[in-house]
Amino acid sequence: MDRSLTKSLFMFASLSVTSLSPANGDKVFASYCASCHGSDGAGLLGPNLTDPEILHGSSLPEIKAVIENGVPAKAMPAWSNILSDDEIDAVAKHVRSIMGTNLVGPNQKGKSTVTPFPEGTLDRPILLRTFMPTMGLPDSVFTHHDRGEATPKYSPSTGTFDPEETDPVVPGVPGAIAVNFGNSLSYCFDSTECRLLYAWSGPFLDMTNYWGAGEGGGRKRFAYQAEVMGPPSFITNGPPFFEGTPQFLGYKKVRGVPSFEYKCGELEVSLLIEPGSTAGEVVCTYRTNANKPLTVPLPSGEEFEIRSDQGKIRKGTLRLKAKQAQAFTLTITPRTQVR
Amino acid sequence: MKTFTLILGLFASAISQLSAGSYKIEAIAVPHYVVPEVGGLGFTPEGELVVALRRHGILMAQPSEDPTDFPWRAFSTDSLHNPCGIQIISKDEIIVSQMPELTRISDTDGDGIADSYENVADSWGVSGNYHETNALVPDGEGGWYVAVGTASHNGPTFEHTRGTFEPMGRIGRNFSAVPWKGWVVHIDSEGNSTPIAGGFRAPNGIAMDQQGHIFATDNQGDWRGTSPLYHVEKGNFYGHPSSLVWDKEFTASVSVNPLQYYIDDFEQYQEDRTRAVIEFPHGFICNSPSEPHFDTTGGSFGPFAGQAFVGDIAGDRILRCMIEEVDGVLQGAVVKFIDGGIGGGTNRLAFSPDGKSLYVGQTYRGWGNLAEGLKRITFTGEMPFDLQKIALQPDGFRLTFTKQLDQESAGQLANYSAKSYWYKSHHQYGSPQMDDRELPVESVTINGNEAVLVIPGLEPDRIVELNLADTLLAEDGTPIAHGLICYTIRKLKP
């Protein structure tokens, strides 16, 4: 279980403390456990909890212990920092009460292996278009977006506006495309700015906010936004690479790998983004119709290093002759890997 | 109110058994690795069924008689962003409208798997709100009409929006913070966009009839007393104000705050808005209409050729719309086609190439009760006894049935009752039935399969609800299958 997921679960938890009465073990289960154990507890990503005996012990104290401490090696989170003692007690009792009901889980009946945790592989990357988090991207990256504003809160029943309360805006990438090659690389490309926004390694996305848990139940959360599960290896910054308003033309699959096509003014670009040799390393292959030299302002940061197979990098700017600008490859290596 | 619904419920299940002989409903099995949340449905010219899913790309299968044994294959496994509209050009080329764009998805190397995803048009903004759905219909000339939905206050807008952010459009319950939310946008074959009509709220379905009229459904809510079916014509305003922030003429000469303007002046609102062809009374007729789908089967699917079927996302039924032209406007009636037995979530419809079956794609996409999947309704060839056609008369209605009428029961006035009411579209959510009045059915004249009802006192801008008792029989003794008929009068018959 990585930090960002735990954190978001935690945020969710602190929001709901007031609304969940401790006695409602079933509600705690529905909110925190159903995404992995299924809404009826019959298993999804996590094991079926309706068997008469379970692996980590079937007594109430043993169940409480496994809920409190989790099974870090096997993706069962530790709940002691997230749920209150009363909630852990209630949900443990709920687990105890469904044990022995012997439900046939979806995995057993071969019915559905669908989870909110989509996964690709090196040979078969997967692509998702969805709302993505901004991961703290600086405003300067959103040059071709407009700025949302909080507006006065409206009461539909009276048709009036609240003098103080507002509907806030939240961070998010509206036109994102997320791609995953398994644990080695995931990244987020933006179809509005036409640029790679960030990359990470490890698990891909938690889609529960948008897809809901497994096959059913509560498929709605306010933000409907994917959650990045792995630690970021690269987050971009700085001005756009190319001048002119970007226009996204689409993408083509080259051996299953998306190659993004876009225009910036007269410049036509295709960009293929692939995993490098180490986890989180990103290899960006650009093809353009450049007929004059290009200077490309590169993102800067302590956390990653950018190399180009063409031209020269001086003071964070890549200078390419026309010929070089037609085909060049940037490799972005996370410094943590180098260390 | 509770008992009323309960009685209707019982009535409904009894009725659905009556028409069960004419239409068979089957559930179609999808691969176990797929959640069947259907956003787009259709057939290739070769007869393969195409299903666009919310989170598992696009599946195809040549239908088999056994509904559990379709040979599924994946045309695309890319998870599109809420695909809600589809046009199937060939087995290699499919157009999909998704949240950020209209996309042409093609298999260019003939291996059966899509490898090109071309952005055809993205002229609308994206505010970061889940509710902004896009349904499409081909214009018949290589282009499309896309019905762009507004955002919901149940979701946020982003700090950084795609497209211009307009604070005056952001206010309200459902809102239009970025361009063309709440508009029907025309996109020509070159990808050039022209917004043609605003005022929509959640138009989850747009279709064209065989005469080339465009229709869109919309969903009950703010500025929607009950859910309508609209005839979409260029330049009209369809009643939900937020989208008018993108109408330069309106903001320049009327008000920069269309929401407030129409909250303040209801009379002007009534004058400015275009009325529905049919209003679907909320609750007992429909909760959340989806795509209207015209019967182009020429009779292979039963006696309703040319009529529109409309699914209910949040109700176990499919509706049937009978539309006529009266004094220059389109208007008509809704009855239930399937009342119980199909399940909730009906979102998309498609006729099989032989016209005998209607495929039903279901989803609940985050609201309503969990209801999703793929179904198939097949006409058995056994004629149902149902209303086939309705025509407004200066003082009543002419009803045409699918079967010859039983002279005795059909001649009894007690088998008919009528009332009328209207729904108030305003800033508040939904509307109660307003000014509910009984209407006298003065006489009935039977001729073969026709009944002419004389009902004086009809008025425009009201719904007339006719109730035919289930003691109304066909000549062969069959009771009427669906006796609840709601006709929306925009214009009286001159």
Side-chain angles (χ1 to χ4, degrees):
Chain A
M1 167 106 330
D2 82 283
R3 255 180 306 127
S4 61
L5 177 61
T6 319
K7 203 173 88 208
S8 59
L9 282 168
F10 180 73
M11 275 166 49
F12 182 36
S14 47
L15 281 177
S16 349
V17 180
T18 45
S19 58
L20 292 175
S21 103
N24 290 336
D26 51 346
K27 297 226 174 84
V28 179
F29 193 86
S31 304
Y32 301 102
C33 324
S35 57
C36 291
H37 291 285
S39 51
D40 52 9
L44 222 49
L45 196 74
N48 189 335
L49 301 174
T50 68
D51 297 339
E53 300 288 337
I54 59 174
L55 191 70
H56 293 269
S58 309
S59 70
L60 196 57
E62 286 168 306
I63 295 171
K64 269 171 89 163
V66 73
I67 296 171
E68 267 164 14
N69 307 322
V71 188
K74 295 272 186 64
M76 164 69 182
W79 296 95
S80 53
N81 288 328
I82 297 169
L83 299 178
S84 69
D85 290 349
D86 285 349
E87 283 170 318
I88 290 181
D89 189 57
V91 76
K93 286 185 178 135
H94 175 76
V95 170
R96 190 63 221 141
S97 76
I98 60 173
M99 279 177 62
T101 52
N102 296 323
L103 300 179
V104 181
N107 301 333
Q108 283 143 285
K109 52 186 167 189
K111 195 170 160 272
S112 173
T113 51
V114 175
T115 79
F117 304 99
E119 248 180 273
T121 62
L122 274 177
D123 316 336
R124 293 194 54 183
I126 57 163
L127 180 151
L128 247 107
R129 301 194 70 166
T130 190
F131 294 145
M132 290 289 286
T134 55
M135 305 294 283
L137 282 160
D139 285 353
S140 59
V141 168
F142 295 94
T143 325
H144 301 99
H145 285 72
D146 199 9
R147 189 91 217 187
E149 304 168 20
T151 49
K153 201 163 191 68
Y154 169 77
S155 158
S157 53
T158 60
T160 55
F161 296 93
D162 195 294
E164 272 148 43
E165 233 194 305
T166 56
D167 279 315
V169 285
V170 306
V173 183
I177 301 180
V179 177
N180 168 261
F181 293 83
N183 279 347
S184 56
L185 181 71
S186 304
Y187 68 81
C188 173
F189 175 87
D190 179 31
S191 68
T192 309
E193 299 296 336
C194 294
R195 76 189 274 187
L196 170 66
L197 296 185
Y198 51 85
W200 68 101
S201 59
F204 183 35
L205 294 176
D206 181 350
M207 291 298 292
T208 311
N209 290 342
Y210 192 44
W211 287 356
E215 277 187 287
R219 263 182 225 163
K220 45 181 170 186
R221 297 276 166 83
F222 185 70
Y224 288 80
Q225 216 180 88
E227 283 173 18
V228 166
M229 291 176 75
S233 57
F234 167 68
I235 297 178
T236 200
N237 58 58
F241 278 17
F242 310 113
E243 277 168 26
T245 306
Q247 173 59 49
F248 182 61
L249 303 176
Y251 58 92
K252 296 207 161 73
K253 295 284 187 72
V254 181
R255 288 167 281 107
V257 181
S259 166
F260 301 103
E261 320 267 317
Y262 52 94
K263 277 175 91 168
C264 298
E266 293 297 299
L267 192 73
E268 290 171 18
V269 184
S270 77
L271 166 60
L272 190 79
I273 304 171
E274 288 174 292
S277 50
T278 54
E281 187 173 75
V282 200
V283 180
C284 302
T285 305
Y286 290 86
R287 294 279 180 277
T288 76
N289 65 345
N291 52 14
K292 48 182 195 240
L294 276 184
T295 49
V296 180
L298 298 177
S300 61
E302 293 298 307
E303 303 79 16
F304 53 86
E305 183 183 52
I306 302 184
R307 281 169 294 136
S308 173
D309 70 337
Q310 301 289 329
K312 292 207 171 64
I313 299 177
R314 274 190 52 210
K315 290 192 180 157
T317 300
L318 170 65
R319 289 165 204 285
L320 298 162
K321 295 186 183 129
K323 189 82 186 154
Q324 294 172 322
Q326 286 169 11
F328 62 100
T329 298
L330 299 181
T331 304
I332 307 171
T333 312
R335 282 249 163 78
T336 46
Q337 296 290 335
V338 181
R339 233 183 277 144
Chain B
M1 194 60 210
K2 269 244 168 64
T3 35
F4 179 63
T5 7
L6 193 71
I7 291 164
L8 268 173
L10 290 172
F11 185 69
S13 53
I15 291 294
S16 68
Q17 274 179 4
L18 291 173
S19 59
S22 302
Y23 292 96
K24 178 173 77 174
I25 299 175
E26 294 164 298
I28 294 169
V30 294
H32 71 272
Y33 51 83
V34 155
V35 183
E37 299 165 295
V38 181
L41 196 64
F43 281 86
T44 66
E46 293 81 10
E48 237 181 324
L49 176 66
V50 180
V51 187
L53 297 165
R54 192 171 71 129
R55 56 160 132 165
H56 204 278
I58 299 171
L59 300 182
M60 292 188 179
Q62 191 71 45
S64 55
E65 209 173 303
D66 179 353
T68 64
D69 196 26
F70 282 25
W72 291 104
R73 67 185 180 98
F75 177 70
S76 165
T77 54
D78 286 7
S79 182
L80 305 172
H81 199 172
N82 211 355
C84 285
I86 197 166
Q87 178 197 14
I88 295 139
I89 295 172
S90 72
K91 69 179 188 350
D92 314 309
E93 188 182 354
I94 288 172
I95 306 285
V96 167
S97 51
Q98 52 174 327
M99 177 88 71
E101 70 191 38
L102 184 70
T103 311
R104 183 189 308 276
I105 305 176
S106 325
D107 166 20
T108 60
D109 60 8
D111 65 356
I113 299 169
D115 47 46
S116 166
Y117 296 73
E118 179 199 338
N119 177 5
V120 178
D122 57 6
S123 49
W124 54 85
V126 181
S127 77
N129 189 285
Y130 74 101
H131 205 273
E132 296 171 347
T133 54
N134 303 309
L136 76 78
V137 66
D139 72 354
E141 292 167 11
W144 305 268
Y145 292 99
V146 177
V148 180
T150 57
S152 162
H153 73 137
N154 283 321
T157 44
F158 285 167
E159 268 168 20
H160 303 285
T161 58
R162 203 187 78 186
T164 309
F165 179 88
E166 173 49 65
M168 284 299 182
R170 168 67 180 84
I171 55 180
R173 194 175 205 283
N174 268 52
F175 55 87
S176 177
V178 293
W180 313 124
K181 302 300 170 186
W183 287 75
V184 168
V185 178
H186 179 252
I187 295 163
D188 70 16
S189 55
E190 306 284 293
N192 303 308
S193 297
T194 320
I196 65 160
F200 292 92
R201 181 178 177 274
N204 180 24
I206 181 164
M208 198 185 274
D209 70 4
Q210 284 158 304
Q211 292 75 47
H213 303 116
I214 305 161
F215 293 90
T217 52
D218 208 326
N219 273 258
Q220 185 250 18
D222 50 332
W223 304 98
R224 293 280 181 267
T226 196
S227 298
L229 172 75
Y230 287 122
H231 175 205
V232 183
E233 289 177 294
K234 200 176 171 121
N236 285 352
F237 165 56
Y238 289 92
H240 195 280
S242 298
S243 53
L244 293 180
V245 295
W246 306 108
D247 181 340
K248 286 215 175 73
E249 229 169 273
F250 188 91
T251 54
S253 60
V254 184
S255 170
V256 293
N257 186 345
L259 177 66
Q260 193 67 58
Y261 175 74
Y262 283 126
I263 288 175
D264 294 345
D265 195 343
F266 185 68
E267 257 170 52
Q268 190 66 42
Y269 175 69
Q270 291 290 65
E271 205 170 293
D272 290 354
R273 73 187 180 106
T274 301
R275 301 299 178 115
V277 172
I278 299 177
E279 287 190 334
F280 306 131
H282 195 73
F284 63 99
I285 288 284
C286 189
N287 287 318
S288 180
S290 52
E291 176 179 78
H293 198 76
F294 284 89
D295 184 336
T296 49
T297 68
S300 303
F301 190 65
F304 308 122
Q307 302 184 9
F309 296 104
V310 175
D312 189 349
I313 290 263
D316 181 357
R317 56 205 161 198
I318 295 179
L319 313 174
R320 180 162 62 84
C321 299
M322 291 162 279
I323 300 167
E324 61 170 343
E325 189 173 324
V326 176
D327 198 11
V329 303
L330 297 178
Q331 62 185 39
V334 57
V335 297
K336 285 174 192 163
F337 167 61
I338 300 285
D339 191 4
I342 190 73
T346 296
N347 190 34
R348 296 295 178 248
L349 303 170
F351 281 107
S352 61
D354 67 6
K356 291 200 174 100
S357 301
L358 182 65
Y359 281 75
V360 178
Q362 302 178 317
T363 185
Y364 91 134
R365 285 213 328 263
W367 78 92
N369 292 320
L370 184 60
E372 57 201 12
L374 201 55
K375 308 260 164 70
R376 171 168 77 185
I377 307 171
T378 305
F379 181 49
T380 61
E382 190 183 312
M383 183 61 75
F385 176 45
D386 233 324
L387 181 66
Q388 202 266 330
K389 190 177 159 191
I390 182 165
L392 184 66
Q393 306 293 298
D395 57 352
F397 295 95
R398 176 187 300 273
L399 311 180
T400 309
F401 293 88
T402 55
K403 289 185 176 185
Q404 297 292 307
L405 292 167
D406 163 51
Q407 288 287 335
E408 201 194 308
S409 65
Q412 277 169 21
L413 271 180
N415 278 331
Y416 307 88
S417 65
K419 56 180 179 167
S420 92
Y421 41 79
W422 63 285
Y423 290 92
K424 185 174 182 183
S425 287
H426 56 161
H427 64 84
Q428 286 170 5
Y429 196 89
S431 163
Q433 276 183 6
M434 310 285 285
D435 190 21
D436 188 340
R437 282 187 228 152
E438 294 298 321
L439 289 175
V441 182
E442 280 193 358
S443 72
V444 53
T445 314
I446 305 301
N447 185 5
N449 64 345
E450 272 184 14
V452 175
L453 302 181
V454 172
I455 305 174
L458 300 179
E459 287 173 53
D461 295 333
R462 293 176 73 91
I463 295 169
V464 175
E465 179 183 316
L466 296 175
N467 277 289
L468 314 186
D470 56 4
T471 42
L472 175 73
L473 306 178
E475 199 173 35
D476 64 9
T478 327
I480 185 81
H482 304 98
L484 173 62
I485 304 157
C486 293
Y487 189 106
T488 302
I489 303 183
R490 296 172 76 183
K491 295 257 182 143
L492 292 172
K493 180 93 174 172

